[in-house]
Amino acid sequence: MNLLEEIRKIIYIKDEMLINRLFDEYHPVDIALEADELEDDELETFAHLINHENMAHLLEASEEDFSARIMAFFTDDELIDIFTHMETSIVADLLGVLSTVRRKAIFSSIKSADKVTLKMILSFDEESAGGIMTTNFIALRENLTAVEAVKKIISISPKTEIIDKIFVTDNYHRLKGIVTMRDLLVSHSDTLLSDLLEEVDFYVYGTDDQEVAANLFSKYELDILPVVNSNMAILGVITSEDIIAIIDQEHNEDMLQMHGVNADEEYDSTLFESFKSRIPWLIVNLVTAFLASSVVKGFESTISQVVVLSAAMPIVTGMGGNAGSQTLSIIITSLARGELSLKEDYKLIFKEIFLGLFEGAIIGILAAAVFVFWHHNIYLGFILFFAMILNMIIACSMGFLIPLILDKIKIDPAIASSIFLTTFTDTCGFFIFLGLATIFLPFLI
Amino acid sequence: MNLLEEIRKIIYIKDEMLINRLFDEYHPVDIALEADELEDDELETFAHLINHENMAHLLEASEEDFSARIMAFFTDDELIDIFTHMETSIVADLLGVLSTVRRKAIFSSIKSADKVTLKMILSFDEESAGGIMTTNFIALRENLTAVEAVKKIISISPKTEIIDKIFVTDNYHRLKGIVTMRDLLVSHSDTLLSDLLEEVDFYVYGTDDQEVAANLFSKYELDILPVVNSNMAILGVITSEDIIAIIDQEHNEDMLQMHGVNADEEYDSTLFESFKSRIPWLIVNLVTAFLASSVVKGFESTISQVVVLSAAMPIVTGMGGNAGSQTLSIIITSLARGELSLKEDYKLIFKEIFLGLFEGAIIGILAAAVFVFWHHNIYLGFILFFAMILNMIIACSMGFLIPLILDKIKIDPAIASSIFLTTFTDTCGFFIFLGLATIFLPFLI
């Protein structure tokens, strides 16, 4: 029996004990994934059978859509009780899923100790460092001794996940450094934290984009990153296990957006969701396609005299598109890693121009050879060869420039680059090839 | 003065103290990135000015190419001394960069205590869980008491990074569970580890692919993952900070390979490296382009009678390609996350077929309207409409099937999918559209 069947059976017999025992046997992530398949009435029964502590685990492990479905079955008071079993940063995420009215009602009933932290987290954008940090960390004053620190940590530790890195602050909550549990345990008991601490190499501001944090983790293989405010007071921390979800999300967004798909579409989205996610980009593409098509229409009289041009022209545009998207994928990947900027790396355009030249020469010669062999017309070969070179130079340099310029003017290059690129490679490709053919028409007939 | 200039100045005056002081001021990752810009003779001087401990930090933080450049400047004995300052798993990675002859020579001179671990790590594939794990972890027997355990941990801790999670084994080294430092500190001193341990929910075998480990970290937000052999003996651990590099690498590989670029090309690769990385895929694409082109050639007589077809046909193929790559990007992303398989999810093909139908209907109607308006020929509009629908159904279903089938037969779908997809959307698109036009030719003239 698989997990979903097991859940359904327990719902049918309404057995509270059995359903809560599931949480000993399965990971909440798996329970959430399966329970998302339940019908609304089944899910309601399911939700009310689970005790609040397990419900907290389930909500922590749920995707946004599923947690919205679940939370709808609870009263405000029930939710507040469930929230007491959770970390404040996750409560903040869940509040973000609720309607404004419910959010305000629940917020006003939350006990005031958590309210301050909650308010602080909610003041940050969801995709900022402050929005993804956890506030469950240990910060101690620098004038404590090692033995005092260990005592404090032991008393605090049941409430926090991270106990091996302790942040050390001055009397004004300003971050001075980090002490590891290891250093505390091996040091003399009366050593002051200020003598044990190591300076923090990296930190982010609460308002920084989550991508800034993600790139620091990737580049320097960090395990933890403190989040501070403009006075260097520590607000929270981001851990490497938290950032993995963010990195995954950013990567997948780039991958999907580059192909004109909404970042939140999943393979199992409904037909209607997928349709909504994809049709806008297809329509934008259609406009581009018509632009290219109208170039072809402009050369109808040339094509009518040398029909073989119609078989050769998609090769020029298609290969240009391929060469350009090779450059595009490199540039977008590097931009996402924060390695590249227009200002510092504009000179690399020369590399792309030469790359287009050489690629165009090789591909152009091969394509020309086939057409000369097919058509016994050497002039057609020459035209194909030169058109290929020119279009590939355009393709490679545009594949380089477009994402960098979009990035510069703060448009996500992953979303918009490929549409601009195709516009260039298609319209230029048709125009160059058919233009050359028109000029040398007497030799082709 | 930037870091590279500073390094160059120090090399010029050959100041050992200044160069080693750089390691206090800068992160080894940054020093490595900048030093990679040095000429060979500069780098040699640089390498010999740095003490072996800092050199170990530098090599740990280096990319493969750069560590190969650096290691070439040292004798085998010097390298062995540098390796003593490093974690065994990183030594294994570095040995992998050396030539077979050097690797064997160095391996035979390494002291025998490390040799066993090193041999074990080297027995695993570089991209397996065993290849990426660290062997710097603490494992204690289950019959120790909490106080004994803490004492042991304090004595071992200077040599290991991970001290907050302690693995507990039976007398045969078999993994029984995990105890956290927190639980040790708050428990009664004579409690046995066997009473404190929590079972491990997740582990991987040393031979498992690194992607299996990466997906577990992503899905369950793990902070640590034990690596075991077939007897459940613990061999090493993978930490969330280590896996970030792997996740980045896998994502970037997918992104680049989907666009026909070698996974190891960088934005600042040399012209020749980029050319080598990209030209093979362009040539493969050219073959595909000729396949499509020969379909067009087969319909030359139709086109010569209705030249406007040549302006309409790239719209059918282009839009098919776009719609197909939307599906492709979703499926490849989900496959990489291990969410999808042909066997379990084949039914989703019906969703893609309907998606193609609806997308084709909308795009087809828009495209047809424009052509009817341009050409006052309603039959051309109908042909365009139906060809668009058919080609989009093919595009969406092939965008779904191709990566799943490739995955099933153990070919990386990111590499090969888009070439197959384009082949389908281009050749089918031309064939359907020009075929329909040929059938209804009398109505078009």
Side-chain angles (χ1 to χ4, degrees), chain B residues 342-404:
Chain B
L342 186 58
K343 203 174 149 195
E344 289 195 14
D345 301 287
Y346 67 94
K347 278 187 187 156
L348 286 172
I349 183 121
F350 296 110
K351 176 187 134 189
E352 292 298 332
I353 290 173
F354 280 105
L355 205 54
L357 175 67
F358 294 137
E359 288 173 1
I362 299 284
I363 298 298
I365 259 184
L366 292 173
V370 174
F371 267 86
V372 171
F373 177 78
W374 269 358
H375 259 257
H376 310 289
N377 185 328
I378 194 129
Y379 297 103
L380 179 62
F382 272 116
I383 290 170
L384 191 54
F385 175 73
F386 284 112
M388 192 71 86
I389 289 180
L390 279 176
N391 201 31
M392 287 229 175
I393 291 175
I394 291 171
C396 289
S397 44
M398 285 300 143
F400 176 83
L401 282 180
I402 291 168
L404 284 173

Side-chain angles (χ1 to χ4, degrees), chain A residues 44-58:
Chain A
E44 183 165 7
T45 314
F46 174 76
H48 289 301
L49 287 173
I50 297 173
N51 66 42
H52 284 182
E53 196 182 334
N54 281 333
M55 183 47 77
H57 295 320
L58 188 71

Side-chain angles (χ1 to χ4, degrees), chain B residues 43-84:
Chain B
L43 190 62
E44 184 166 7
T45 313
F46 175 76
H48 289 300
L49 286 173
I50 297 173
N51 67 41
H52 284 182
E53 196 182 334
N54 281 333
M55 183 47 77
H57 295 320
L58 188 70
L59 284 171
E60 279 175 1
S62 300
E63 304 271 332
E64 227 173 70
D65 292 351
F66 182 62
S67 47
R69 280 184 74 194
I70 290 260
M71 288 194 291
F73 299 126
F74 291 104
T75 65
D76 291 356
D77 287 340
E78 284 170 330
L79 275 186
I80 289 168
D81 188 56
I82 292 169
F83 288 168
T84 59

Side-chain angles (χ1 to χ4, degrees), chain A residues 63-64 125-128 132 209-211 214 244-266 277 281 332-333 336 412-418, chain B residues 251-252 255 258-259 325-326 329-330 332-334 337:
Chain A
E63 304 271 332
E64 227 172 70
D125 184 273
E126 250 184 82
E127 303 208 335
S128 68
I132 60 169
D209 193 275
Q210 60 181 11
E211 212 170 15
I244 287 175
I246 308 296
I247 291 176
D248 262 337
Q249 181 198 332
E250 296 272 346
H251 277 298
N252 286 336
E253 273 181 24
D254 281 356
M255 176 73 121
L256 295 182
Q257 288 174 341
M258 244 190 104
H259 296 92
V261 176
N262 244 351
D264 44 322
E265 189 181 332
E266 303 268 347
S277 142
W281 199 73
I332 287 181
T333 315
D412 185 346
I415 300 182
S417 288
S418 70
Chain B
H251 277 296
N252 287 336
M255 176 72 122
M258 243 190 105
H259 297 92
S325 77
Q326 288 182 325
S329 63
I330 293 265
I332 287 182
T333 315
S334 305
R337 287 195 271 183

Side-chain angles (χ1 to χ4, degrees), chain A residues 160 182 218 220 240 248 293 311, chain B residues 30 160 182 218 240 248 293 311:
Chain A
T160 177
R182 181 209 350 235
S218 297
Y220 299 105
S240 50
D248 262 337
S293 170
Chain B
D30 291 319
T160 177
R182 182 211 346 242
S218 297
S240 51
D248 262 337
S293 169

Side-chain angles (χ1 to χ4, degrees), chain A residues 63-307:
Chain A
E63 304 271 332
E64 227 172 70
D65 292 350
F66 182 61
S67 47
R69 281 184 74 194
I70 290 260
M71 287 193 291
F73 299 126
F74 291 105
T75 65
D76 291 356
D77 287 339
E78 285 170 328
L79 276 186
I80 289 167
D81 188 56
I82 293 169
F83 288 168
T84 59
H85 300 280
M86 277 180 197
E87 219 187 289
T88 319
S89 56
I90 295 174
V91 174
D93 291 341
L94 290 172
L95 285 178
V97 177
L98 296 172
S99 69
T100 322
V101 179
R102 274 203 95 178
R103 183 164 54 231
K104 280 188 180 158
I106 291 177
F107 186 75
S108 65
S109 315
I110 280 177
K111 69 176 182 348
S112 57
D114 296 337
K115 227 172 187 166
V116 181
T117 315
L118 203 49
K119 209 165 185 172
M120 189 259 291
I121 298 177
L122 287 170
S123 74
F124 292 110
D125 184 273
E126 250 184 82
E127 303 208 335
S128 68
I132 60 169
M133 70 187 181
T134 164
T135 49
N136 260 5
F137 62 94
I138 300 180
L140 299 175
R141 297 276 165 88
E142 57 184 340
N143 52 10
L144 287 183
T145 63
V147 68
E148 288 168 338
V150 172
K151 266 189 205 149
K152 268 222 144 154
I153 294 164
I154 292 174
S155 74
I156 302 172
S157 72
K159 288 183 228 140
T160 177
E161 279 299 315
I162 314 144
I163 69 149
D164 57 325
K165 303 266 175 163
I166 296 99
F167 294 93
V168 182
T169 64
D170 64 14
N171 289 335
Y172 305 98
H173 297 288
R174 283 183 302 220
L175 181 62
K176 303 299 282 184
I178 292 185
V179 168
T180 62
M181 194 63 189
R182 181 209 350 235
D183 290 340
L184 282 182
L185 291 175
V186 299
S187 67
H188 283 290
S189 54
D190 55 353
T191 317
L192 289 176
L193 292 192
S194 53
D195 295 324
L196 281 174
L197 64 81
E198 277 181 47
E199 273 180 49
V200 284
D201 290 326
F202 305 101
Y203 56 86
V204 285
Y205 295 106
T207 47
D208 282 341
D209 193 275
Q210 60 181 11
E211 212 170 15
V212 174
N215 284 335
L216 284 175
F217 273 95
S218 297
K219 188 170 178 188
Y220 299 105
E221 300 203 1
L222 306 181
D223 58 348
I224 206 162
L225 181 67
V227 181
V228 299
N229 69 12
S230 53
N231 298 322
M232 279 300 286
I234 182 163
L235 304 177
V237 299
I238 303 174
T239 64
S240 50
E241 64 257 42
D242 292 339
I243 207 74
I244 287 175
I246 308 296
I247 291 176
D248 262 337
Q249 181 198 332
E250 296 272 346
H251 277 298
N252 286 336
E253 273 181 24
D254 281 356
M255 176 73 121
L256 295 182
Q257 288 174 341
M258 244 190 104
H259 296 92
V261 176
N262 244 351
D264 44 322
E265 189 181 332
E266 303 268 347
Y267 73 96
D268 55 356
S269 296
T270 63
L271 180 58
F272 182 63
E273 283 166 354
S274 294
F275 182 77
K276 264 201 317 188
S277 142
R278 303 188 195 179
I279 199 79
W281 199 73
L282 287 175
I283 291 174
V284 175
N285 261 303
L286 185 63
V287 176
T288 298
F290 269 110
L291 210 67
S293 170
S294 65
V295 172
V296 178
K297 251 185 80 72
F299 289 99
E300 263 183 25
S301 91
T302 306
I303 296 172
S304 71
Q305 293 171 70
V306 191
V307 183

